[in-house]
Amino acid sequence: MKCKKCGTKASVNMRQHKLALCKEHYLEWVPEQAERFIKKYDMFSHGDRILVAVSGGKDSLSLWDILVRLGYQADGLYIGLGIVGGFGYSSESHRLAAKFADERRLTLHVLDVEAEYGQPIPVMSDISHRGQGKPCAVCGLTKRHVMNRIARDRGYDVLATGHNLDDEAAVLFGNTLRWSGEFLLRQGPVLPEVSGMARKVKPLCRFYEREMTAYALLRGLEYIYEECPFAEGSTSIYYKEALNRLENDRPGTKLTFYLRFLEARQQGLFAQQADARQGLHLCTNCGQPTSAPGLCSFCRMMYKVHGEIEIP
Amino acid sequence: MKCKKCGTKASVNMRQHKLALCKEHYLEWVPEQAERFIKKYDMFSHGDRILVAVSGGKDSLSLWDILVRLGYQADGLYIGLGIVGGFGYSSESHRLAAKFADERRLTLHVLDVEAEYGQPIPVMSDISHRGQGKPCAVCGLTKRHVMNRIARDRGYDVLATGHNLDDEAAVLFGNTLRWSGEFLLRQGPVLPEVSGMARKVKPLCRFYEREMTAYALLRGLEYIYEECPFAEGSTSIYYKEALNRLENDRPGTKLTFYLRFLEARQQGLFAQQADARQGLHLCTNCGQPTSAPGLCSFCRMMYKVHGEIEIP
């Protein structure tokens, strides 16, 4: 297999795109594509201040790397979740995120959940009884709250996450199997700014997971290989595997599923009135948007954990 | 496992319904459920004349059996497709459909495609170059045309087919992976009557395929076990297998996928204007509805096959 651009030996072959590239041209191609997606979905411009949510994994570090290379003003946010695992998941991912930032003299905000909110994620999860024995629900809720809070408090215009096509297609697959209208109307590369919440964007949403792995490896990024120890057996991994089998038999299935969804929605497949974001309220404690009047889910959880609410 | 109704040894255990039944109560339960679906989706009433499309397989013969037991006026239509296969697929399925009708003194209309239209399905397919080497596209087109024609010419109010949940979920799965809006808006247990075309209904659409197999076996129906020899490797079988894996891991997935879809659509998930059935035309040759002005797809195919069009 030869590189389509220069004819030397290809390093990456993308069946679904019918495209093979050598290392050099692959490392050019990924940022070019990312720039195309950023423009196509009108994610942000060079004047915007971008906060990248960095986990220490391949996707978020690659995203930060790509945005900086493309000349965007991108700072990082690392959230210390306090997940110990067998190999020290949180401390190792923190070390790698900090190393990445230091080597490039980039700004990395760090928020340690235990220091800030009194308990690490697994303990919060135990106390609050959310998520049926798994801390993933509490973790997601906390990360969303913290990202919104830091973006707002530090005056960022946009919050960027490293979700790739496999992540997005798996979420879409789950929402579709249940036909969750509320989520089908909202899921996408851009979640517009609403009062108290910065715009959220997913610049990698059209890259296959393996494309991001190839990028991180060929770019020589040092990232945490291990999945979070709590991810095992999760629904999202289950849906990813189901989609991988379909993709394997028919290359391009995953991309078509996601892109045709975005296209069909834009062309008016869904009725607009079902958009739940129309009726958002502001949490009476933290001021972040929430679906019902009163406290948001995060503040209700904090109340369970501490038995009291602190005004932030 | 014991029968939920009488406590004797159960013959059928339905994990997804958390219900086990003995032979006697299963043979009661299936028609009761069918009657529930017929009423729920307002398919037809006892005053309607129903034409059941009978292939000789377990689903269509069970459907006919159930409708007659429920006291509906149901005649059969067998379409001779001229598929020879290794074991004489068409002649064997014809024999079994005729036997079923004779034993019960029911009316079975028979239309032989070769006698009526000059060629059997596989030859029509070869000549017309539809469907990429497989006769399935031509077969589906022809069956739809013939069913509509006989229903109209013989004055039936409703056309009933034996599509089960596995069939319906597989079609929905394919349409969803591609987000085919036109089909998503139309697929369902009832396709209302339009000018020149009888109402179409699928009374078995909420029964799992294995539930229908169990019904046919326990009822002692003699049906053709083999699939059509051309079905091997088809997309619908591929999607059925994919859904069966999901169902196997999480019983009820298939039923939830289909029912939540119907529910969400009824609750207004989709924008109504995309319904393609609004702008139907009538074929200038056969008078059946078609999406574009002029000849319908079937008559265009017949023109290819014969080089001329006969007024029916």
Side-chain angles (χ1 to χ4, degrees):
Chain A
M1 195 67 78
K2 287 185 175 172
C3 173
K4 198 183 172 177
K5 297 211 172 168
C6 68
T8 62
K9 192 170 173 294
S11 290
V12 182
N13 177 29
M14 293 169 283
R15 274 171 81 194
Q16 71 286 358
H17 300 312
K18 297 190 176 70
L19 178 66
L21 292 170
C22 69
K23 174 178 170 178
E24 183 195 344
H25 286 115
Y26 186 72
L27 289 174
E28 263 177 38
W29 180 82
V30 169
E32 278 167 18
Q33 291 294 104
E35 181 76 322
R36 250 190 68 209
F37 306 153
I38 290 165
K39 292 215 160 74
K40 179 178 171 66
Y41 299 112
D42 205 8
M43 293 188 179
F44 44 74
S45 63
H46 285 271
D48 286 322
R49 290 187 63 225
I50 304 162
L51 183 64
V52 182
V54 176
S55 70
K58 67 187 186 314
D59 300 302
S60 56
L61 288 181
S62 295
L63 172 60
W64 201 4
D65 171 273
I66 290 165
L67 294 184
V68 169
R69 281 176 193 277
L70 291 171
Y72 289 105
Q73 305 175 54
D75 295 346
L77 165 62
Y78 176 82
I79 304 175
L81 304 165
I83 292 169
V84 181
F87 47 84
Y89 178 77
S90 280
S91 61
E92 178 65 2
S93 59
H94 184 188
R95 184 182 73 77
L96 292 167
K99 186 170 181 235
F100 179 96
D102 287 348
E103 286 174 358
R104 291 158 182 81
R105 304 194 180 181
L106 299 170
T107 301
L108 178 69
H109 303 284
V110 176
L111 185 140
D112 186 81
V113 168
E114 181 171 7
E116 190 74 14
Y117 300 108
Q119 299 289 358
I121 293 290
V123 179
M124 273 201 207
S125 175
D126 284 348
I127 300 177
S128 67
H129 296 296
R130 275 177 177 261
Q132 302 154 336
K134 282 263 230 170
C136 309
V138 164
C139 187
L141 181 63
T142 306
K143 285 191 291 192
R144 280 191 297 277
H145 179 86
V146 170
M147 291 188 299
N148 285 328
R149 181 184 144 187
I150 303 291
R152 182 192 62 187
D153 293 355
R154 308 286 173 109
Y156 287 95
D157 303 296
V158 193
L159 184 61
T161 55
H163 294 94
N164 59 40
L165 176 64
D166 293 49
D167 299 321
E168 291 301 286
V171 168
L172 179 59
F173 195 61
N175 288 337
T176 304
L177 284 179
R178 286 183 304 275
W179 292 94
S180 309
E182 190 195 332
F183 295 104
L184 289 174
L185 287 162
R186 216 165 49 179
Q187 189 189 348
V190 176
L191 213 56
E193 183 180 352
V194 287
S195 163
M197 192 147 67
R199 190 186 325 153
K200 285 185 185 163
V201 299
K202 298 168 184 167
L204 307 183
C205 66
R206 289 175 61 157
F207 288 110
Y208 281 77
E209 175 144 21
R210 58 170 182 262
E211 290 169 3
M212 292 322 300
T213 307
Y215 183 81
L217 289 172
L218 293 177
R219 183 63 82 196
L221 301 182
E222 205 181 335
Y223 65 89
I224 186 157
Y225 292 111
E226 290 82 5
E227 290 265 18
C228 171
F230 292 112
E232 205 192 313
S234 71
T235 312
S236 69
I237 290 184
Y238 177 76
Y239 289 141
K240 278 185 187 179
E241 286 167 356
L243 285 169
N244 281 341
R245 283 192 300 259
L246 294 169
E247 177 74 29
N248 212 31
D249 292 333
R250 300 171 183 210
T253 300
K254 220 182 280 184
L255 189 60
T256 302
F257 176 55
Y258 184 63
L259 291 188
R260 274 292 303 135
F261 163 74
L262 296 179
E263 223 174 84
R265 187 174 61 185
Q266 216 202 348
Q267 289 165 357
L269 176 64
F270 299 113
Q272 287 306 313
Q273 65 271 24
D275 189 341
R277 286 164 54 89
Q278 302 299 324
L280 284 181
H281 303 260
L282 295 185
C283 171
T284 49
N285 184 58
C286 71
Q288 287 195 23
T290 174
S291 54
L295 293 179
C296 70
S297 304
F298 179 78
C299 288
R300 275 186 281 130
M301 179 184 73
M302 291 310 294
Y303 184 76
K304 266 200 190 167
V305 170
H306 294 297
E308 60 186 61
I309 282 287
E310 293 171 35
I311 305 298
Chain B
M1 196 65 81
K2 287 183 175 173
C3 174
K4 197 183 174 178
K5 299 213 171 168
C6 68
T8 61
K9 190 170 175 295
S11 290
V12 183
N13 178 29
M14 292 168 284
R15 275 172 80 193
Q16 72 285 359
H17 300 311
K18 297 189 176 71
L19 179 66
L21 293 171
C22 69
K23 174 178 169 176
E24 184 196 344
H25 286 115
Y26 186 73
L27 290 175
E28 265 177 37
W29 180 82
V30 170
E32 278 167 20
Q33 290 294 104
E35 180 77 322
R36 250 190 70 211
F37 307 152
I38 290 165
K39 291 214 162 71
K40 181 178 170 64
Y41 299 112
D42 206 7
M43 291 188 181
F44 44 74
S45 63
H46 285 272
D48 286 322
R49 290 187 63 223
I50 304 162
L51 183 65
V52 182
V54 177
S55 70
K58 66 185 186 318
D59 300 302
S60 56
L61 289 180
S62 295
L63 172 60
W64 200 5
D65 171 273
I66 291 165
L67 293 184
V68 170
R69 280 175 194 279
L70 291 170
Y72 289 106
Q73 306 174 53
D75 295 344
L77 165 62
Y78 176 82
I79 304 175
L81 304 164
I83 292 170
V84 181
F87 46 83
Y89 179 77
S90 280
S91 61
E92 179 63 3
S93 59
H94 183 188
R95 185 182 73 78
L96 292 166
K99 186 170 180 235
F100 179 96
D102 287 348
E103 286 173 358
R104 289 157 183 81
R105 304 194 181 183
L106 299 170
T107 302
L108 178 69
H109 303 284
V110 176
L111 185 140
D112 187 81
V113 168
E114 181 171 5
E116 190 74 13
Y117 299 108
Q119 298 291 357
I121 293 291
V123 178
M124 272 200 208
S125 175
D126 284 347
I127 300 177
S128 68
H129 297 294
R130 275 178 177 261
Q132 302 154 336
K134 282 261 232 172
C136 308
V138 165
C139 187
L141 180 63
T142 305
K143 285 192 290 194
R144 280 191 298 278
H145 179 87
V146 170
M147 291 188 299
N148 285 329
R149 180 184 146 188
I150 303 291
R152 182 192 63 185
D153 292 356
R154 308 287 173 107
Y156 286 95
D157 303 296
V158 192
L159 185 62
T161 55
H163 293 93
N164 60 41
L165 176 64
D166 293 48
D167 298 322
E168 291 301 286
V171 168
L172 179 60
F173 195 60
N175 289 336
T176 305
L177 285 178
R178 287 184 303 274
W179 292 95
S180 310
E182 188 194 334
F183 295 104
L184 289 173
L185 288 161
R186 214 165 51 179
Q187 190 190 350
V190 176
L191 212 57
E193 183 182 351
V194 287
S195 163
M197 190 145 70
R199 190 187 325 151
K200 285 185 186 165
V201 299
K202 297 167 185 167
L204 307 183
C205 67
R206 290 174 61 156
F207 289 109
Y208 281 77
E209 175 145 19
R210 58 170 182 263
E211 290 169 3
M212 293 322 300
T213 307
Y215 183 81
L217 289 173
L218 293 177
R219 182 62 84 197
L221 300 182
E222 205 182 333
Y223 64 88
I224 186 158
Y225 292 110
E226 289 82 4
E227 291 263 19
C228 171
F230 292 112
E232 206 191 313
S234 71
T235 311
S236 70
I237 290 184
Y238 177 75
Y239 288 141
K240 279 185 187 179
E241 286 167 356
L243 284 169
N244 281 341
R245 283 191 301 259
L246 295 168
E247 176 75 27
N248 212 32
D249 293 332
R250 303 176 178 206
T253 300
K254 218 181 284 184
L255 189 60
T256 303
F257 177 55
Y258 184 63
L259 292 188
R260 276 292 303 134
F261 163 73
L262 295 180
E263 224 174 85
R265 186 175 61 185
Q266 215 201 349
Q267 289 165 359
L269 176 64
F270 299 113
Q272 287 306 314
Q273 64 271 24
D275 189 341
R277 286 164 54 87
Q278 303 297 326
L280 284 181
H281 302 261
L282 296 185
C283 171
T284 47
N285 183 58
C286 71
Q288 286 195 23
T290 175
S291 54
L295 293 179
C296 70
S297 303
F298 179 78
C299 289
R300 274 187 280 129
M301 177 183 74
M302 291 311 293
Y303 183 75
K304 266 201 190 165
V305 170
H306 295 297
E308 60 186 61
I309 283 286
E310 294 171 35
I311 305 298

